Amino acid sequence: VGVVFVVPRFSVNSRRKIINMGQDYYGVLGLTRSATDADIKKAYRLLALKYHPEKNREYGAEEMFTKVAEAYDVLSDPRKRATYDQFGEEGLKNGVPEGSGVGGAWTTGYTFHGNAPKVFKDFFGGDNPFADFFDGPDGDLTMGFGGVHGRGRKKKDPPIERDLALTLEEIFHGCTKKMKISRRVMNEDGHTSSIRDKILTITVRPGWKTSTRITFPEEGDQGPNNIPADIVFIVKDKAHQRFRREGNDLIFTAKIPLGKALTGCNVVVHTLDDRILDIPINDIVHPKYTKIVPGEGMPIAKTPTKKGDLIIEFDIEFPTQLTPEKKQLIRQALLH
């Protein structure tokens, strides 16, 4: 909805007298009265960086920095600008003359707060926005919009890393994961921003190893003076109730009593693709014994038709007590 500013019916001479009094805010920014909002922002951006006292030690630079801030404070606000355009600095700072009948214009006196660094900070954003511009060799100025020296270099934010926890079944078969992120996105004016959600889709390939990195370039927070960070997801295995993964192999721990460890048994394994393996163990099982079943491990990422091995480890359960008769039988069987 637009705001209509009604020009009071002063005489031509009185209006010219009011308009010509005071500071020329357009002149301070090097603009004409036909300047657009984009022109005003562009001019302030260039002059604020040029005259900032942290970089410009010349006499008068700090005063000019404050004048530029005040000019931008007035001309970037539609109400203040409309009042200034109609009544000049005197009308802006003293208020619209009584009985003018102005509707919607700035009717009370305006006073610049005098805090030029605050205008600078609000314009560029961040606690220390100025530091982003002076990060070149010897503190040279490197502005994102082309720069005083024309290098146009922006500083990229460091990558944002997040874990991507996957079940062994998801890694075995492959799957699609959708990750919702919230990030700051620049609005069309190039200066303000808003928070928006985005869905990032990850196609998990069979056999991806832990620590695999999936990078979404420049999907981090946007800003006027930075290159957004990369979003990086790092694969992590979720704990599994039956298996653990080592490289391309699956490790399964079978609990068997001491008697079966000595006399043989069968180990039943429920695989990740819902098959049942019945594996005979004919060897004597000692604490370091393992049984290798070739080709029953995880898919190999580069050649998913091939798989690693299933390695069966054993947890031997010893009896907590034995009767004298059983001890005697064991002595006869093992010690004679």
Side-chain angles (χ1 to χ4, degrees):
V1 178
V3 178
V4 178
F5 299 95
V6 179
V7 179
R9 297 182 178 278
F10 297 125
S11 68
V12 172
N13 290 335
S14 64
R15 288 186 60 197
R16 183 180 296 113
K17 180 180 179 182
I18 293 175
I19 291 175
N20 290 338
M21 288 181 64
Q23 294 192 60
D24 181 2
Y25 290 130
Y26 290 100
V28 169
L29 296 180
L31 301 170
T32 65
R33 290 180 175 271
S34 62
T36 64
D37 290 342
D39 294 333
I40 293 168
K41 290 174 181 175
K42 183 177 179 180
Y44 173 75
R45 179 191 287 262
L46 181 63
L47 293 173
L49 290 168
K50 179 180 179 180
Y51 291 110
H52 197 288
E54 286 189 14
K55 287 299 292 184
N56 193 331
R57 305 294 185 181
E58 295 181 4
Y59 176 78
E62 186 171 359
E63 180 182 358
M64 190 63 186
F65 181 66
T66 301
K67 286 184 177 181
V68 167
E70 181 176 350
Y72 177 75
D73 190 56
V74 171
L75 298 183
S76 64
D77 186 301
R79 292 167 60 87
K80 296 176 192 174
R81 183 180 180 182
T83 304
Y84 174 72
D85 285 348
Q86 295 172 25
F87 310 115
E89 185 188 13
E90 183 180 30
L92 175 69
K93 294 188 174 180
N94 295 332
V96 175
E98 293 183 4
S100 64
V102 174
W106 191 274
T107 57
T108 59
Y110 162 75
T111 301
F112 179 55
H113 50 68
N115 192 346
K118 181 180 185 301
V119 177
F120 186 90
K121 176 181 175 181
D122 291 344
F123 182 88
F124 289 105
D127 291 334
N128 188 17
F130 197 65
D132 291 341
F133 296 93
F134 297 98
D135 60 357
D138 302 320
D140 287 344
L141 181 59
T142 57
M143 293 182 292
F145 58 87
V148 171
H149 302 300
R151 290 186 294 213
R153 181 166 63 89
K154 292 185 178 182
K155 187 176 181 180
K156 185 167 183 175
D157 292 338
I160 300 170
E161 297 183 350
R162 296 289 183 269
D163 288 347
L164 177 63
L166 300 171
T167 66
L168 290 182
E169 284 84 359
E170 289 173 328
I171 300 171
F172 186 90
H173 295 288
C175 65
T176 299
K177 306 291 284 188
K178 294 186 180 295
M179 313 299 291
K180 181 179 179 181
I181 63 170
S182 296
R183 61 176 188 153
R184 186 172 296 278
V185 177
M186 294 301 297
N187 297 325
E188 293 182 359
D189 61 14
H191 302 286
T192 60
S193 60
S194 56
I195 301 296
R196 299 180 190 174
D197 293 336
K198 184 172 183 178
I199 302 297
L200 302 179
T201 301
I202 301 173
T203 302
V204 177
R205 297 178 182 175
W208 268 3
K209 293 184 178 180
T210 186
S211 299
T212 297
R213 300 168 68 89
I214 306 97
T215 301
F216 291 87
E218 299 181 11
E219 289 290 357
D221 288 341
Q222 298 177 0
N225 313 308
N226 72 308
I227 299 174
D230 295 342
I231 304 291
V232 182
F233 292 95
I234 304 173
V235 172
K236 302 292 182 185
D237 290 352
K238 287 185 178 180
H240 197 274
Q241 61 181 355
R242 299 193 305 277
F243 301 103
R244 74 177 189 274
R245 179 163 67 143
E246 291 185 1
N248 296 317
D249 298 329
L250 284 175
I251 312 300
F252 177 82
T253 300
K255 286 187 176 184
I256 61 172
L258 177 60
K260 289 187 176 182
L262 298 173
T263 61
C265 62
N266 280 36
V267 174
V268 176
V269 180
H270 185 185
T271 67
L272 294 175
D273 54 353
D274 289 328
R275 291 177 297 117
I276 301 297
L277 301 180
D278 191 348
I279 301 160
I281 307 297
N282 298 317
D283 300 325
I284 294 176
V285 177
H286 55 79
K288 294 184 180 180
Y289 177 85
T290 58
K291 176 71 173 181
I292 297 176
V293 184
E296 290 293 349
M298 295 294 288
I300 299 173
K302 293 183 179 180
T303 53
T305 55
K306 297 182 179 179
K307 294 182 174 65
D309 297 333
L310 171 63
I311 300 175
I312 303 174
E313 297 179 345
F314 293 87
D315 180 6
I316 303 171
E317 299 176 318
F318 283 75
T320 58
Q321 60 183 7
L322 289 172
T323 65
E325 293 79 7
K326 289 182 178 179
K327 289 181 181 181
Q328 183 61 31
L329 290 173
I330 293 174
R331 290 190 189 98
Q332 292 176 357
L334 300 181
L335 301 180
H336 296 286

